[in-house]
């Protein structure tokens, strides 16, 4: 959230607004009342000008009428003329500019410095609301602590806006797979993992593997956090593994985590995107171990009936994907992908809509539901 003025005194630019009044000198008691009125007027002017500046953008002209409408929605009882006067007066103190269009537009100058103010407009409040709803599980506590005041400000900004609430009620993020309930995570362990990852420190963890009933103790080098569905994983190496094999640890299986003072070590040449592109989170399948490089970057050919394969004409499997409409009204999809259990599960979801798959080993894996995945 960035707007540019910082000094409240600068915001109280002396201007002739519709609300200003002029009174003659009075007695001492009258002067006290006049001073109190001036203070209230000054605060109201500051709040209004603050709101005016917050509506302006750097790369787009904003019309005076739009600024006026936003102030009315925010509860200011003013006229369009007041907004025009505010903008002209503020332009003498702040790096804002107007164009010569009709109607007139205003914006921040390209070289205007960015400063933070505890305010946001309605579209920014919507964005923070969606971040809080969908991304807080992935943000480390050190960042969340700084964002919580903005989340609270967004909620208060949206509370009195019927227009924005109507928009929020019409927008949802819907998972493409079967919705699952996320497992419970030890919050202290999670916070310590995120803290250690953020500051690149090792951790000592009590962790229960999925195929074990007893917990084991590991000293780990945290490398990355990945959310896959409703499960959050820590990507890390074990300090007792001299080969520094990249491993994944489900956060809900950590019973306790202690942050160590030792700096974490990341394997040379490790890049998270490269790790993911290579199928690091795809999980292996026993049949594909027979293929070169365990089936990574394999050219596949899928034949669907037209109805089943239609979605792949819009959402690609890979950048090199090609689609062929056959004479028998079927679709042939060719792409280069990693052969994983995830791919097998996804293809099974097409049922009879998937007519054939190559290489043959892939089709065998899709049809043979008795094979246990690693």
């Amino acid at each position: 959230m960035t707007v540019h003025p910082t000094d409240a005194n600068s915001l109280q630019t002396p201007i002739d607004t519709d609300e200003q009044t002029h009174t003659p000198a009075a007695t001492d008691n009258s002067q006290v009342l006049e001073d109190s009125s001036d203070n209230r007027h000054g605060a109201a002017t500051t709040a209004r000008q603050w709101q005016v500046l917050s509506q302006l953008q750097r790369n787009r002209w904003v019309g005076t009428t739009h600024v006026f409408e936003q102030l009315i929605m925010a509860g200011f009882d003013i006229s369009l003329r007041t907004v025009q006067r505010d903008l002209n007066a503020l332009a003498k103190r702040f790096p804002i500019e107007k164009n010569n269009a009709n109607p007139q537009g205003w914006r921040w100058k390209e070289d205007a410095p960015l400063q933070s103010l505890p305010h946001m407009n309605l579209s920014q409040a919507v964005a923070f609301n969606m971040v809080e709803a969908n991304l807080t599980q992935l943000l480390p506590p050190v960042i969340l602590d700084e964002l919580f005041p903005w989340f609270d400000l967004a909620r208060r900004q949206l509370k009195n806006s019927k227009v924005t609430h109507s928009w929020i009620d019409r927008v949802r993020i819907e998972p493409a797979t079967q919705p699952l309930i996320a497992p419970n995570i030890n919050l202290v362990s999670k916070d310590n993992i995120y803290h250690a990852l953020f500051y690149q420190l090792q951790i000592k963890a009590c962790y229960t593997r999925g195929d074990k009933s007893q917990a084991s103790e590991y000293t780990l080098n945290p490398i990355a956090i990945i959310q896959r569905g409703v499960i959050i994983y820590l990507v890390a190496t074990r300090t007792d593994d001299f080969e520094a094999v990249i491993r994944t640890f489900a956060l809900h299986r950590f019973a306790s985590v202690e942050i160590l003072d030792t700096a974490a070590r990341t394997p040379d040449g490790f890049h998270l995107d490269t790790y993911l592109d290579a199928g690091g989170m795809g999980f292996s399948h026993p049949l594909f171990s027979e293929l070169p490089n365990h089936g990574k970057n394999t050219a596949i050919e899928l034949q669907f009936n037209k109805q089943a394969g239609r979605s792949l004409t819009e959402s690609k499997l890979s950048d090199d994907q090609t689609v062929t409409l056959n004479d028998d009204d079927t679709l042939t999809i060719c792409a280069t992908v990693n052969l994983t259990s995830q791919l097998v599960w996804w293809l099974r979801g097409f049922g009879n809509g998937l007519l054939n798959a190559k290489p043959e080993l892939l089709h065998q894996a899709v049809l043979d539901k008795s094979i246990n995945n690693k």
Side-chain angles (χ1 to χ4, degrees), residues 3 7 100 130 143 149 202 208-209 239 243 282 332 340 351 373:
V3 288
D7 187 358
N100 296 319
M130 296 186 72
I143 292 179
Q202 289 183 346
T208 304
R209 291 171 48 183
T239 58
E243 296 183 0
T332 299
T340 64
N373 298 333

Side-chain angles (χ1 to χ4, degrees), residues 133-144:
N134 297 288
L135 296 182
T136 52
Q137 285 290 330
L138 291 177
L139 297 175
V142 66
I143 292 179
L144 281 176

Side-chain angles (χ1 to χ4, degrees), residues 126-350:
V126 170
F128 268 97
N129 187 266
M130 296 186 72
V131 168
E132 182 180 21
N134 297 288
L135 296 182
T136 52
Q137 285 290 330
L138 291 177
L139 297 175
V142 66
I143 292 179
L144 281 176
D145 288 345
E146 296 183 5
L147 288 180
F148 276 137
W150 296 99
F151 292 153
D152 180 65
L153 183 60
R155 285 191 294 269
R156 288 188 282 110
Q157 183 79 353
L158 297 176
K159 183 178 180 180
N160 299 321
S161 173
K162 294 181 180 180
V163 174
T164 311
H165 262 305
S166 174
W167 190 86
I168 290 178
D169 290 340
R170 299 171 188 267
V171 177
R172 292 292 183 271
I173 296 178
E174 185 68 14
T177 57
Q178 174 63 35
L180 301 174
I181 298 175
N184 293 325
I185 297 176
N186 183 302
L187 295 182
V188 175
S189 296
K190 175 190 169 185
D191 287 352
N192 286 344
I193 290 171
Y194 280 30
H195 182 96
L197 178 64
F198 191 81
Y199 290 104
Q200 300 181 35
L201 298 172
Q202 289 183 346
I203 59 173
K204 181 183 290 185
C206 185
Y207 182 84
T208 304
R209 291 171 48 183
D211 57 350
K212 302 290 184 181
S213 58
Q214 297 294 324
S216 300
E217 188 174 278
Y218 303 108
T219 300
L220 303 176
N221 293 296
I223 298 174
I225 288 289
I226 298 172
Q227 181 165 349
R228 187 173 184 270
V230 297
I231 308 297
I232 302 175
Y233 295 91
L234 170 68
V235 178
T237 60
R238 288 168 39 177
T239 58
D240 60 346
D241 179 8
F242 296 107
E243 296 183 0
V245 175
I246 306 295
R247 306 171 189 267
T248 56
F249 300 83
L251 257 62
H252 63 275
R253 294 182 185 148
F254 284 94
S256 64
V257 173
E258 176 187 351
I259 303 172
L260 305 179
D261 294 329
T262 312
R265 298 178 180 177
T266 300
D268 294 337
F270 175 85
H271 297 285
L272 182 57
D273 288 337
T274 302
Y275 171 76
L276 293 173
D277 290 343
M281 294 297 293
F283 300 113
S284 62
H285 189 284
L287 284 181
F288 304 146
S289 61
E290 305 174 14
L291 297 175
N293 204 20
H294 297 278
K296 293 180 180 179
N297 295 321
T298 300
I300 65 171
E301 181 180 304
L302 307 173
Q303 186 176 6
F304 296 94
N305 64 40
K306 189 175 181 179
Q307 183 66 28
R310 180 179 298 173
S311 64
L312 289 175
T313 64
E314 300 174 348
S315 301
K316 294 183 177 181
L317 277 171
S318 66
D319 289 334
D320 65 351
Q321 173 180 299
T322 61
V323 180
T324 303
L325 178 60
N326 304 312
D327 294 337
D328 59 356
D329 215 25
T330 62
L331 292 177
T332 299
I333 310 290
C334 294
T336 302
V337 299
N338 297 317
L339 302 188
T340 64
S341 290
Q342 183 177 8
L343 176 64
V344 172
W345 298 332
W346 178 73
L347 289 174
R348 287 175 181 170
F350 286 95

